[in-house]
Amino acid sequence: MVNTKIIILLTSDVHGNIYPINYGNNEQAHVGLAKVAALMEQERKKNKHVIMIDNGDLIQGTPLTYHYVNFLAEKKNPMIKCLNMLQYDAAVVGNHEFNYGLNVLKNAVFESKFPWLCANIVDSRTDEPFLGKPYIIKKIGAFKLAIVGITTHYIPNWENPNHIEGLRFKDALSSAKEWVAKIKEEEKPDIVIISYHGGFERDIQTGEPTEVLTGENQGYSICREIDDLDVLLTGHQHRSLTGSLFGTEIIQASNNGQMVGKVTLILNEKGEVLEKSSELLSVAVAEEKKEIIEIAMEYENSTQKWLDTPIGFIDGDMIVDDPFAIRLEDSSLIEFINKVQMEAANVKIANTALFNNESPGFKSNVTMRDIVSNYIYPNTLKVLALKAEDIKAALEQTAKYFTLNEQGEPSVNPSFMYPKPQHYNYDMWEGIEYILDISKPIGKRVVKLLFEGKPLEENKVYEVVMNNYRAGGGGNYLMFQNKPVVREVQFDMAELIANYIMERKTVAATCDHNWKVIW
């Protein structure tokens, strides 16, 4: 009896990383497609039957992709050039694929030598999959493998409405059920694989919810409710995950090209699965592939030149020495970003986050590298009409970020660290005065809340500017959902920050200490 071994290689949430560097300081890092390529080449040499899938969030996320879209858009997309060279079999649409607008996404799809899959995002007029390809069939010898693409349907809660105009986002779980049933009946595949740009809403071992069950992640339900599903490829949460769930082999391959996911299937002559296994291959052991380095060199050189462009000067201290300390009391860096938002939107109240613990702050001589290292997302701004109860509820949500450790000192609530770090979901406000007492129970931590020296009025409407992700309720800020949008600022925040500094040439670091955390 001759068995057949099939290897599925997975990348997910690569987020524009080609080169093995950290753009904030240009130091070497174990990330990117150049290193991924070396691992994939090794696997192809060892195995006859290899299928390569990218699971979404490919074309956005680094200064290279930002610079490409804004300054080199007449050229071909560098991320697509890399995947074409690597001969990927398919890609799935991720939520960040929409960040630069539909034209950029459609051009990327047009340039791809592989199909893009998405069964549950449809044209609102025709109800047909908007990219035309809900799934593909791969034939390996006598066997048929069906690969279905599914994308988290929660995108309208985050994305700029102009970027998803004319699209309808169907429930991922329901769509997965519908398409798997249809494919089984019509195609009669030996193997069924779902590549889902989404993650797991419950603990894999216990089944307990690990997040508010909004529908953003439905991987657990997909495995539980779809019979005879062989493999579920996942992403979105940036987790490093392998295993089996309700008989389905599952995998998630981290982010930024740090890992390649590998699923191994052993089939007998009848097409029955004898063995299934999954593992993660770290790019830390790989040398970057020269051909990938060279294919994107023109883009990289132009990006590096742009990143070192002088913008202006900071008079004072906006350096991040301790990111945790910045979240405990007002700082000149956060106040500055909020001021940029307030001026751009012409309002008196704003909120923002220190998006991750790698944010360096601004040194005295500011370059574009500093700006994109601190404001890492291509966010635009929205002004919402909020009442006092909305603002207080938002502050209570943000106060959940903290817990007290055994020594009675503040630390990060595990719910903001698992399944992935979510520092970007802790907001700091300007234009109001507030105190958060984190020794008090969750939901009762706002002990001071003033606007212009007075308590907020119950029935008064306050205009508040925030990024489009938060304005849609992203990060469990459900109190912002469906609130009236007073106006939008359709400029990327990195551009707004750069223009703010360039207009003034020198910006003074100021801090009015309008808020703090106590315990």
Side-chain angles (χ1 to χ4, degrees), residues 26 52 101 243 246 348 370 413 417 437:
N26 269 358
M52 292 168 50
F246 300 108
K348 294 182 177 180
D370 300 311
N413 188 326
M417 295 300 295
D437 185 347

Side-chain angles (χ1 to χ4, degrees), residues 378-391:
N379 289 335
T380 55
L381 300 177
K382 287 188 178 183
V383 177
L384 299 186
L386 302 178
K387 292 189 175 180
E389 62 183 1
D390 302 317
I391 293 174

Side-chain angles (χ1 to χ4, degrees), residues 445-515:
R445 291 179 164 183
V446 179
V447 296
K448 177 182 178 181
L449 179 54
L450 305 174
F451 174 68
E452 296 183 338
K454 300 177 182 178
L456 275 65
E457 299 176 32
E458 184 177 344
N459 294 316
K460 183 177 179 179
V461 172
Y462 298 88
E463 295 185 357
V464 180
V465 63
M466 62 192 75
N467 67 58
N468 60 289
Y469 170 78
R470 186 68 78 240
N476 296 326
Y477 285 80
L478 305 183
M479 70 293 300
F480 294 149
Q481 284 186 341
N482 303 315
K483 290 298 187 293
V485 178
V486 179
R487 58 186 164 278
E488 299 183 34
V489 182
Q490 293 294 350
F491 290 95
D492 188 286
M493 262 302 288
E495 183 179 350
L496 290 173
I497 294 170
N499 289 340
Y500 187 98
I501 297 173
M502 285 190 287
E503 286 171 5
R504 290 159 178 77
K505 296 184 173 59
T506 298
V507 173
T510 63
C511 184
D512 60 8
H513 301 286
N514 65 298
W515 67 271

Side-chain angles (χ1 to χ4, degrees), residues 195-422:
S195 189
Y196 170 46
H197 190 82
F200 295 92
E201 71 277 33
R202 296 177 181 274
D203 184 276
I204 302 303
Q205 306 300 326
T206 67
E208 291 298 313
T210 53
E211 60 188 36
V212 177
L213 299 178
T214 59
E216 177 181 346
N217 298 297
Q218 296 178 302
Y220 191 94
S221 296
I222 287 173
C223 291
R224 181 179 58 192
E225 298 182 29
I226 298 180
D227 294 331
D228 301 321
L229 177 63
D230 295 289
V231 179
L232 179 65
L233 311 173
T234 67
H236 186 56
Q237 292 174 316
H238 299 186
R239 299 173 69 180
S240 300
L241 182 67
T242 61
S244 180
L245 183 62
F246 300 108
T248 298
E249 197 67 24
I250 60 172
I251 193 165
Q252 192 169 141
S254 188
N255 64 307
N256 296 345
Q258 298 179 80
M259 302 273 186
V260 172
K262 178 183 177 182
V263 177
T264 302
L265 303 175
I266 307 294
L267 280 63
N268 65 18
E269 290 178 326
K270 297 178 181 179
E272 298 167 334
V273 179
L274 301 178
E275 294 179 33
K276 290 190 288 188
S277 62
S278 53
E279 60 183 305
L280 295 173
L281 310 177
S282 172
V283 303
V285 300
E287 295 291 330
E288 57 263 29
K289 190 170 173 62
K290 180 182 175 183
E291 290 84 351
I292 297 296
I293 294 290
E294 290 176 348
I295 202 172
M297 186 62 73
E298 176 186 4
Y299 304 84
E300 177 69 5
N301 289 341
S302 183
T303 299
Q304 290 292 346
K305 183 177 179 181
W306 170 72
L307 284 171
D308 290 328
T309 303
I311 299 297
F313 301 92
I314 301 296
D315 180 12
D317 182 12
M318 287 193 194
I319 297 293
V320 177
D321 292 318
D322 183 347
F324 188 75
I326 280 182
R327 299 186 181 104
L328 289 173
E329 61 180 336
D330 194 19
S331 67
S332 57
L333 173 65
I334 298 302
E335 184 167 304
F336 165 67
I337 294 173
N338 272 324
K339 279 183 176 179
V340 173
Q341 295 185 145
M342 291 158 71
E343 176 172 291
N346 191 27
V347 298
K348 294 182 177 180
I349 305 175
N351 64 51
T352 191
L354 186 71
F355 293 119
N356 60 37
N357 287 345
E358 287 70 51
S359 297
F362 291 109
K363 60 183 186 291
S364 297
N365 299 316
V366 182
T367 65
M368 282 303 305
R369 189 182 306 278
D370 300 311
I371 292 172
V372 298
S373 297
N374 285 286
Y375 209 101
I376 59 177
Y377 299 112
N379 289 335
T380 55
L381 300 177
K382 287 188 178 183
V383 177
L384 299 186
L386 302 178
K387 292 189 175 180
E389 62 183 1
D390 302 317
I391 293 174
K392 186 173 185 295
L395 289 171
E396 291 290 1
Q397 172 63 30
T398 214
K400 293 178 183 178
Y401 179 81
F402 294 106
T403 188
L404 296 179
N405 62 22
E406 293 179 356
Q407 290 74 41
E409 299 170 338
S411 60
V412 180
N413 188 326
S415 68
F416 282 77
M417 295 300 295
Y418 177 84
K420 68 175 179 179
Q422 300 169 52

